[in-house]
Amino acid sequence: MPMGSGDGRMPVAATAHAERIFTASFGGAETGDGPVGSLIIASWRRCLDRHKLDPERQAETRVLSRGELREAREPLDALLSLSTPLLDDLYRQVADLGYVVMLTDGNGITLNARAGNDERAFRKWGLWTGSVWSEGLEGTNGVGLCLTEQRPVTVHRGEHFRSRHAGLTCTVAPLFNADGTIIGCLDISAFNQEIDSRIVGFAQRATTLAAGWIEAVCFRHAYRSCWIVSLGESIEGKALLAFDEDRRLKGASRLARQQLGLDEALIDQGIGIVRDDGGPSAGTGKAPLLRDGAATFLSLSSALSFSPPLETRRKRPTTPALAPKEPSLLDTLAGDDRRLQAFVQRIRATAGLKPKLLITGETGTGKEVFARAIHGDRVQKNETIRSPIERPFIRVDCRALLNSQDYPAQNSFAQNALADPIERAAGGTLFLDEIGDLPLSLQAFLVHALDNHAGLRGEGASTIALICATQQDLEALVTARTFRADLYYRLKGLPIDLPPLRSREDKSLVIDRLVREIALGRDLSATARSAIEACEWPGNLRQLRQVLELAFASSPAPCLESHDFDLPSRTERLAPVGTLQQAEKDVIARQLAEDGFDIAKAASHLGMSRATLYRRIKHFGLGTGR
């Protein structure tokens, strides 16, 4: 007979694991390593009766194709972007215990994952991006049970339905949307036989807390045009309310809905917000619903922290119209390019978390300018707390460190090269330009600093905002073992890829902006504008600015023609900056640095003779490190 027929009989070939499931599911005496909770038994029964699953099935966990995964991720793009720094932080907390961190959608599809050096082993067991952990496919497991019960759960080893997963411990917390509906869950799983009840307890608290923070960040993002008030927080998250300028309730988080007895219909009906200046609810955090004829009001205690402070309904002042604000430099740089506007939106939505930013893009796309604009945007937002002087922007050119004549002075060089800038950046921004060129020994030092320096970890009053930039493919460098994988994943908090000028949606507006900056009151003819827009501009914004500056300085005409400009030739367009010679120079420089400028050793590692290496060093002007 097939397994799971539901008549109480056990198949002859059932293993001890399957026997335990059948016995417990059909009311027999429990066997195995201890009593099983009612949630687990109920899930086992569903697996047998509803899903018709076999606990001894040995097939691998289903993994989606790239196209299927892309389709699953698209509706939750904002969640994936906003949760990245929080997933990284949770992984740092549990990595030493052998856990993998996964974020899934409401169907149990893993949309994002974090793992250490055992990534291949996790993939083997289906604990990776694209795997499907619904109860209907995999039987009782942490993700499937959490989505079914909509509350934090742990499924420990033999509590899994499939014997294939009997060595796995899964601790999971649900994720709820801004409207209170479940959209997925946060899971940490491990094949660690040393995990006991104390570790499980820690894991459950850490996962539930991280899920609560993700919900709060997503709620603030969903209602970013509203004012937010927090009624309080617990390990499950924050009870948040969003209201508009007319003090009408626009949204409430899951915990706020639970506390106040709110639902979508009541919110859509319209609820006003008033401040309670006294009475029994003042200072208690309670928020009763009040009726005033046909109108409903939410009375919030004056002890709560409002942003901005609410006035009582009777004393509400009239607000004069505000003059339109000048766009910030960050908004100006983003222009009308939708990709850049999306980056700016994400940067501002996560500003309170100070995620590590990794800016990539071709040479000349304005990575440092963009980094300085982000710093200025943060300073402006917090100018009432600190003055710009107290929020320094410290730039470190990692290419200079690679070619420094002091290089291989070990610890002292590291102290001078990175430790000093880190200290000087306290309370401001540390910008590591061309991070891909950082020598391996200093990469190790930076990993240590990121893990141990309070400011870089986001602790204390002198928290540092870290921004890195590179025109190189760091993933390729990690594969080539010239860039540390652990450093790459620490820096990739919020990736920002600046598009080249040739693919910007607002190319014409960018040209207009640069013309205004360089020669206000002067212009380009239609022919000149068309010629400039038709160029590929391999040097991007930097090259365009130089060409415009030279042309306006050379000609006094109020409107320049195409012949006034020294435009890039077709050959130049077909040979962008990242040439093979530059790549060869970078490889040789890194190897020399790695080998302490030992010519014989470096030549051996590069597979060339010492004479050839000396010629290449001279050709590229690399020096000998002495």
Side-chain angles (χ1 to χ4, degrees), residues 528-574:
R529 181 179 297 278
S530 297
I532 291 172
E533 290 185 9
C535 288
E536 291 276 335
W537 297 107
N540 293 293
L541 293 170
R542 183 187 298 119
Q543 184 185 21
L544 173 60
R545 177 182 284 276
Q546 290 173 349
V547 169
L548 291 175
E549 286 176 344
L550 181 61
F552 279 109
S554 303
S555 173
C559 185
L560 270 60
E561 299 293 339
S562 55
H563 60 75
D564 292 318
F565 295 91
D566 183 15
L567 298 177
S569 65
R570 182 169 183 79
T571 303
E572 189 176 350
R573 292 200 299 272
L574 295 175

Coordinates of all heavy atoms in Angstrom, one line a residue, residues 528-574:
A528 N 25.8 70.6 -33.1 CA 26.8 70.3 -32.1 C 26.2 69.3 -31.1 O 26.8 68.3 -30.6 CB 27.3 71.5 -31.4
R529 N 25.0 69.6 -30.6 CA 24.3 68.7 -29.6 C 24.1 67.3 -30.2 O 24.4 66.3 -29.5 CB 23.0 69.3 -29.2 CG 22.2 68.5 -28.2 CD 20.9 69.2 -27.8 NE 21.1 70.5 -27.2 CZ 21.4 70.7 -26.0 NH1 21.6 69.6 -25.2 NH2 21.6 71.9 -25.5
S530 N 23.7 67.2 -31.4 CA 23.5 65.9 -32.0 C 24.8 65.1 -32.1 O 24.9 63.9 -31.8 CB 22.9 66.0 -33.4 OG 21.6 66.6 -33.3
A531 N 25.9 65.8 -32.4 CA 27.2 65.2 -32.6 C 27.7 64.7 -31.2 O 28.3 63.6 -31.1 CB 28.2 66.1 -33.2
I532 N 27.5 65.5 -30.2 CA 27.9 65.1 -28.8 C 27.1 63.9 -28.3 O 27.7 63.0 -27.7 CB 27.8 66.3 -27.9 CG1 28.8 67.4 -28.2 CG2 28.0 65.9 -26.4 CD1 28.7 68.7 -27.5
E533 N 25.8 64.0 -28.6 CA 25.0 62.9 -28.1 C 25.3 61.6 -28.8 O 25.1 60.5 -28.3 CB 23.5 63.2 -28.3 CG 23.0 64.3 -27.3 CD 21.5 64.5 -27.4 OE1 20.8 63.8 -28.1 OE2 21.0 65.5 -26.8
A534 N 25.8 61.6 -30.0 CA 26.1 60.4 -30.8 C 27.4 59.8 -30.4 O 27.6 58.6 -30.7 CB 26.1 60.8 -32.3
C535 N 28.2 60.5 -29.6 CA 29.5 59.9 -29.2 C 29.3 58.8 -28.1 O 28.4 58.9 -27.3 CB 30.4 61.0 -28.7 SG 31.1 62.1 -29.9
E536 N 30.2 57.8 -28.1 CA 30.2 56.7 -27.1 C 30.7 57.2 -25.8 O 30.3 56.7 -24.7 CB 31.0 55.6 -27.6 CG 30.4 54.8 -28.8 CD 29.4 53.8 -28.4 OE1 29.5 53.3 -27.3 OE2 28.5 53.5 -29.2
W537 N 31.6 58.1 -25.8 CA 32.2 58.7 -24.5 C 32.8 57.6 -23.6 O 32.2 57.3 -22.6 CB 31.3 59.6 -23.8 CG 30.8 60.8 -24.6 CD1 29.6 61.0 -25.1 CD2 31.6 61.9 -24.9 NE1 29.6 62.2 -25.8 CE2 30.8 62.8 -25.7 CE3 32.9 62.3 -24.6 CZ2 31.3 64.0 -26.2 CZ3 33.4 63.5 -25.1 CH2 32.6 64.3 -25.9
P538 N 33.8 56.9 -24.0 CA 34.4 55.8 -23.2 C 34.9 56.3 -21.8 O 35.0 55.6 -20.9 CB 35.6 55.3 -24.0 CG 35.9 56.4 -25.0 CD 34.6 57.0 -25.3
G539 N 35.3 57.6 -21.8 CA 35.7 58.2 -20.5 C 34.6 58.8 -19.7 O 34.8 59.5 -18.7
N540 N 33.3 58.7 -20.3 CA 32.1 59.1 -19.6 C 32.1 60.5 -19.2 O 32.5 61.4 -19.9 CB 31.9 58.1 -18.4 CG 31.6 56.7 -18.8 OD1 30.6 56.5 -19.4 ND2 32.5 55.8 -18.6
L541 N 31.5 60.9 -18.0 CA 31.3 62.3 -17.6 C 32.6 63.0 -17.5 O 32.6 64.2 -17.9 CB 30.6 62.3 -16.3 CG 29.1 61.8 -16.3 CD1 28.6 61.7 -14.8 CD2 28.2 62.7 -17.1
R542 N 33.7 62.4 -17.1 CA 34.9 63.1 -17.0 C 35.5 63.5 -18.3 O 35.9 64.7 -18.5 CB 36.0 62.2 -16.3 CG 37.3 62.9 -16.0 CD 38.4 61.9 -15.5 NE 38.0 61.4 -14.3 CZ 37.8 60.1 -14.0 NH1 37.9 59.2 -15.1 NH2 37.5 59.6 -12.9
Q543 N 35.4 62.7 -19.3 CA 35.8 63.0 -20.6 C 34.9 64.1 -21.3 O 35.4 65.0 -21.9 CB 35.8 61.7 -21.5 CG 36.4 61.9 -22.9 CD 36.3 60.7 -23.8 OE1 35.5 59.8 -23.5 NE2 37.1 60.6 -24.8
L544 N 33.6 63.9 -21.1 CA 32.7 64.9 -21.7 C 33.0 66.3 -21.1 O 33.0 67.3 -21.8 CB 31.3 64.5 -21.4 CG 30.2 65.6 -21.8 CD1 30.2 65.9 -23.2 CD2 28.8 65.0 -21.3
R545 N 33.2 66.4 -19.8 CA 33.5 67.7 -19.1 C 34.7 68.3 -19.7 O 34.8 69.5 -20.0 CB 33.6 67.5 -17.6 CG 33.9 68.8 -16.9 CD 34.1 68.5 -15.4 NE 32.8 68.4 -14.7 CZ 32.0 69.4 -14.3 NH1 32.4 70.7 -14.5 NH2 30.9 69.2 -13.8
Q546 N 35.8 67.5 -19.9 CA 37.0 68.0 -20.4 C 36.9 68.6 -21.8 O 37.4 69.7 -22.1 CB 38.1 66.9 -20.4 CG 38.6 66.5 -19.0 CD 39.5 65.3 -19.0 OE1 39.6 64.7 -20.0 NE2 40.1 65.1 -17.8
V547 N 36.1 67.9 -22.6 CA 35.9 68.3 -24.0 C 35.1 69.6 -24.0 O 35.4 70.6 -24.8 CB 35.2 67.2 -24.8 CG1 34.7 67.8 -26.2 CG2 36.1 66.0 -25.0
L548 N 34.1 69.7 -23.2 CA 33.3 70.9 -23.1 C 34.1 72.1 -22.6 O 34.0 73.2 -23.1 CB 32.0 70.7 -22.2 CG 31.0 69.7 -22.7 CD1 29.9 69.5 -21.7 CD2 30.3 70.3 -24.0
E549 N 34.9 71.9 -21.5 CA 35.7 73.0 -21.0 C 36.6 73.5 -22.0 O 36.8 74.7 -22.1 CB 36.4 72.5 -19.7 CG 35.5 72.3 -18.5 CD 36.3 71.7 -17.3 OE1 37.4 71.1 -17.6 OE2 35.7 71.7 -16.2
L550 N 37.3 72.6 -22.7 CA 38.3 73.0 -23.7 C 37.6 73.8 -24.9 O 38.1 74.9 -25.3 CB 39.0 71.8 -24.3 CG 40.1 72.1 -25.4 CD1 41.2 72.9 -24.8 CD2 40.6 70.7 -25.9
A551 N 36.5 73.4 -25.3 CA 35.8 74.0 -26.4 C 35.3 75.4 -26.0 O 35.5 76.4 -26.7 CB 34.6 73.2 -26.9
F552 N 34.7 75.6 -24.8 CA 34.2 76.9 -24.4 C 35.3 77.8 -24.1 O 35.2 79.1 -24.2 CB 33.3 76.7 -23.2 CG 31.9 76.3 -23.5 CD1 31.4 75.0 -23.3 CD2 31.0 77.2 -24.2 CE1 30.1 74.6 -23.6 CE2 29.7 76.8 -24.5 CZ 29.3 75.5 -24.3
A553 N 36.5 77.3 -23.6 CA 37.6 78.2 -23.3 C 38.3 78.6 -24.6 O 38.9 79.7 -24.7 CB 38.6 77.4 -22.5
S554 N 38.2 77.8 -25.7 CA 38.9 78.1 -26.9 C 38.0 79.0 -27.8 O 38.6 79.7 -28.7 CB 39.2 76.8 -27.7 OG 40.0 76.0 -26.9
S555 N 36.7 79.1 -27.7 CA 35.9 79.9 -28.6 C 35.0 80.8 -27.8 O 34.4 80.5 -26.8 CB 34.9 78.9 -29.4 OG 34.0 79.7 -30.1
P556 N 35.0 82.1 -28.2 CA 34.2 83.1 -27.5 C 32.7 83.1 -28.0 O 31.9 83.9 -27.5 CB 34.9 84.4 -27.9 CG 35.4 84.2 -29.3 CD 35.8 82.7 -29.3
A557 N 32.4 82.3 -29.0 CA 31.0 82.4 -29.6 C 30.0 82.0 -28.5 O 30.2 81.2 -27.7 CB 31.0 81.4 -30.8
P558 N 28.8 82.7 -28.6 CA 27.8 82.4 -27.6 C 27.1 81.0 -27.9 O 26.6 80.4 -26.9 CB 26.7 83.5 -27.8 CG 27.0 84.0 -29.2 CD 28.5 83.8 -29.5
C559 N 27.2 80.5 -29.1 CA 26.6 79.2 -29.4 C 27.6 78.4 -30.2 O 28.0 78.8 -31.3 CB 25.3 79.4 -30.2 SG 24.5 77.9 -30.5
L560 N 28.2 77.3 -29.6 CA 29.2 76.6 -30.3 C 28.7 75.6 -31.3 O 27.6 75.0 -31.1 CB 30.0 75.8 -29.2 CG 31.2 76.6 -28.6 CD1 30.8 77.9 -28.0 CD2 32.0 75.8 -27.6
E561 N 29.5 75.4 -32.4 CA 29.1 74.5 -33.4 C 29.9 73.2 -33.2 O 30.9 73.1 -32.4 CB 29.5 75.1 -34.8 CG 28.7 76.3 -35.1 CD 27.2 76.1 -35.3 OE1 26.8 74.9 -35.6 OE2 26.4 77.0 -35.1
S562 N 29.6 72.2 -34.0 CA 30.3 70.9 -33.8 C 31.8 70.9 -34.1 O 32.6 70.2 -33.5 CB 29.6 69.8 -34.7 OG 29.6 70.2 -36.1
H563 N 32.2 71.8 -35.0 CA 33.6 71.9 -35.4 C 34.4 72.6 -34.2 O 35.7 72.5 -34.2 CB 33.8 72.7 -36.7 CG 33.3 74.1 -36.6 ND1 33.9 75.1 -35.9 CD2 32.2 74.7 -37.2 CE1 33.3 76.3 -36.0 NE2 32.2 76.0 -36.8
D564 N 33.7 73.1 -33.2 CA 34.5 73.7 -32.1 C 34.9 72.6 -31.1 O 35.7 72.9 -30.1 CB 33.6 74.7 -31.3 CG 33.3 75.9 -32.2 OD1 34.2 76.4 -32.8 OD2 32.1 76.4 -32.2
F565 N 34.4 71.4 -31.2 CA 34.7 70.4 -30.3 C 35.7 69.3 -30.8 O 35.6 68.9 -32.0 CB 33.4 69.7 -29.9 CG 32.4 70.6 -29.1 CD1 31.5 71.3 -29.8 CD2 32.5 70.7 -27.8 CE1 30.6 72.1 -29.2 CE2 31.6 71.5 -27.1 CZ 30.7 72.3 -27.8
D566 N 36.6 68.9 -29.9 CA 37.5 67.8 -30.2 C 36.8 66.5 -29.8 O 37.1 66.0 -28.7 CB 38.8 68.0 -29.5 CG 39.8 66.9 -29.9 OD1 39.6 66.2 -30.9 OD2 40.8 66.8 -29.2
L567 N 35.9 65.9 -30.6 CA 35.1 64.8 -30.2 C 35.9 63.5 -30.3 O 36.8 63.4 -31.2 CB 33.8 64.7 -31.0 CG 32.9 65.9 -30.9 CD1 31.7 65.8 -31.8 CD2 32.4 66.1 -29.4
P568 N 35.6 62.5 -29.5 CA 36.3 61.2 -29.6 C 36.1 60.6 -31.0 O 35.1 60.6 -31.6 CB 35.6 60.3 -28.6 CG 34.9 61.3 -27.6 CD 34.5 62.5 -28.5
S569 N 37.2 60.0 -31.5 CA 37.2 59.3 -32.8 C 36.5 58.0 -32.7 O 36.3 57.5 -31.6 CB 38.6 59.1 -33.4 OG 39.3 58.2 -32.5
R570 N 36.1 57.4 -33.8 CA 35.5 56.1 -33.8 C 36.4 55.0 -33.2 O 36.0 54.1 -32.4 CB 35.1 55.6 -35.2 CG 34.4 54.3 -35.2 CD 33.8 54.0 -36.6 NE 33.1 52.8 -36.6 CZ 31.8 52.6 -36.1 NH1 31.2 53.7 -35.6 NH2 31.2 51.5 -36.2
T571 N 37.7 55.1 -33.4 CA 38.7 54.2 -32.9 C 38.7 54.3 -31.4 O 38.7 53.3 -30.7 CB 40.1 54.5 -33.4 OG1 40.1 54.5 -34.8 CG2 41.1 53.5 -32.8
E572 N 38.6 55.5 -30.9 CA 38.6 55.7 -29.4 C 37.3 55.1 -28.8 O 37.3 54.5 -27.7 CB 38.6 57.2 -29.1 CG 38.8 57.5 -27.6 CD 39.0 59.0 -27.4 OE1 39.1 59.7 -28.3 OE2 38.9 59.4 -26.2
R573 N 36.2 55.2 -29.5 CA 35.0 54.6 -29.0 C 35.1 53.1 -28.9 O 34.5 52.4 -28.1 CB 33.8 54.9 -29.9 CG 33.4 56.4 -29.9 CD 32.0 56.6 -30.4 NE 31.8 56.2 -31.7 CZ 32.1 57.0 -32.8 NH1 32.5 58.2 -32.6 NH2 31.9 56.5 -34.0
L574 N 35.8 52.5 -29.9 CA 35.9 51.0 -29.9 C 37.0 50.5 -29.0 O 37.1 49.3 -28.8 CB 36.2 50.5 -31.4 CG 35.1 50.8 -32.4 CD1 35.6 50.4 -33.8 CD2 33.8 50.1 -32.0

